[in-house]
Amino acid sequence: MLQMQDQFTVHFWGVRGSIPCPGAETVRYGGNTPCVEMRVGGKRLIFDGGTGLRVLGQYLLAHMPVEACMFFTHTHWDHIQGFPFFVPAFIPGNKFHLYGAVAPQGATLQQRLNDQMLHPNFPVPLQIMGAQLEFHDLTIDEPLLLGEVKIETALLNHPGEAVGYRVNWEGYAAAYITDTEHFPDRLDENVLKLCRNANVMIYDATYTDEEYYSPKSSRVGWGHSTWQEAVKVAKAANVEKLVIFHHDPLHNDDFLDRVGEQVAQQFPNSLMAREGLTIQLIAPPEPG
């Protein structure tokens, strides 16, 4: 087993977009909204606080005291609605560093997480959380150093803005690109920059091209992309492994199975994100 300080692993706790969708038809991929954990060089990084964060919180109760850095792409509901139910944040002795960009209208991440827990929206305020919470406003395009781990950021094409992330450590890299819409005439330079030669690219492929360009119910302008565009980006950026993420709540397990088969035909080293999936960027040592 790799010690945590020698790991670069990616764990998926919530992979669904827009709204949680539990039920018999979403069992294999899961119905929780976005939450991705990376354990990198001894640090625990958490990306987004959808309902998958509640599940991660239950897991972390057996590993306290916990210190982690939490990065938010933006604060649409599906990316923050698990935060009020993140039990480790209520327990003294734990420590969380929370990072997010200031919203276009000037609201900080702290203000927005605070507001969703104000009465009458929620029974207890953020101030009840007993863990040490340290909030940081991100400066986009300015690398953030966490010891030997370097975090790069760039703006994504999403209503109200969203932030894409790239995590670098010891020559390995993972890109987290969710809630972004591709451009009709070109690949997004910000996305390419974050994904260049990455070992893993996690990409928002909420729709298929057929859905996105549907004459009857077009998704153009909704702020999300397609698996076909994900393949284009992965090839252009020389990505090693592509992970399709932020599944539409209307896409059941069988639908996602079919999408996965189509993606694999065009990009063989690909995966459909599902709850419980773990990707190791560093191969474990051979036994002996």
Side-chain angles (χ1 to χ4, degrees):
M1 292 289 292
L2 286 173
Q3 297 298 313
M4 188 168 170
Q5 61 266 25
D6 300 321
Q7 286 187 40
F8 195 147
T9 57
V10 183
H11 306 261
F12 293 84
W13 298 93
V15 303
R16 193 70 57 165
S18 302
I19 191 170
C21 52
E25 293 192 329
T26 57
V27 171
R28 294 200 304 277
Y29 290 91
N32 281 301
T33 53
C35 181
V36 174
E37 176 198 16
M38 299 188 195
R39 302 173 198 166
V40 188
K43 297 190 180 301
R44 192 183 302 275
L45 314 180
I46 301 169
F47 292 86
D48 279 329
T51 56
L53 181 64
R54 184 195 68 84
V55 186
L56 170 57
Q58 294 300 306
Y59 165 81
L60 291 177
L61 292 179
H63 300 273
M64 293 194 301
V66 176
E67 182 171 359
C69 297
M70 305 179 70
F71 296 90
F72 290 82
T73 54
H74 62 314
T75 54
H76 285 164
W77 283 348
D78 51 332
H79 293 256
I80 63 171
Q81 60 199 172
F83 184 73
F85 301 91
F86 183 50
V87 174
F90 290 87
I91 299 175
N94 295 330
K95 184 175 182 179
F96 298 99
H97 310 265
L98 299 96
Y99 295 85
V102 176
Q105 85 279 21
T108 64
L109 174 66
Q110 182 173 5
Q111 289 171 321
R112 287 172 281 162
L113 292 182
N114 178 78
D115 289 352
Q116 79 160 337
M117 296 176 68
L118 290 178
H119 184 78
N121 298 324
F122 199 72
V124 297
L126 181 144
Q127 289 72 22
I128 294 295
M129 289 181 160
Q132 183 177 346
L133 304 181
E134 293 187 355
F135 288 88
H136 307 269
D137 297 329
L138 282 173
T139 301
I140 304 302
D141 293 323
E142 186 175 292
L144 173 68
L145 293 177
L146 304 173
E148 297 180 349
V149 179
K150 183 170 79 169
I151 312 291
E152 297 177 66
T153 57
L155 282 180
L156 302 177
N157 182 32
H158 191 68
E161 296 186 351
V163 179
Y165 292 95
R166 176 188 174 99
V167 180
N168 305 275
W169 181 71
E170 294 286 324
Y172 296 89
Y176 179 65
I177 313 294
T178 190
D179 289 62
T180 194
E181 184 166 0
H182 56 276
F183 296 114
D185 57 345
R186 68 191 188 281
L187 295 178
D188 189 332
E189 288 298 328
N190 282 355
V191 172
L192 290 174
K193 179 179 69 172
L194 292 176
C195 296
R196 66 193 185 281
N197 302 315
N199 300 94
V200 174
M201 178 182 88
I202 304 163
Y203 186 84
D204 171 359
T206 302
Y207 307 121
T208 66
D209 272 359
E210 293 75 22
E211 292 171 323
Y212 183 80
Y213 295 109
S214 168
K216 292 184 177 179
S217 56
S218 167
R219 273 73 162 183
V220 174
W222 288 22
H224 301 286
S225 193
T226 70
W227 69 260
Q228 288 94 339
E229 292 293 328
V231 169
K232 291 180 187 176
V233 172
K235 290 179 176 179
N238 192 35
V239 167
E240 184 178 329
K241 185 186 294 290
L242 166 63
V243 182
I244 300 297
F245 185 74
H246 203 273
H247 307 314
D248 190 293
L250 295 176
H251 292 172
N252 63 22
D253 289 333
D254 292 342
F255 188 100
L256 293 178
D257 283 345
R258 292 192 294 271
V259 169
E261 292 167 1
Q262 293 174 291
V263 175
Q265 289 172 4
Q266 297 192 27
F267 199 92
N269 195 7
S270 59
L271 289 169
M272 301 295 288
R274 58 175 173 79
E275 289 179 31
L277 172 67
T278 296
I279 298 172
Q280 288 190 343
L281 275 65
I282 301 176
E286 294 291 331

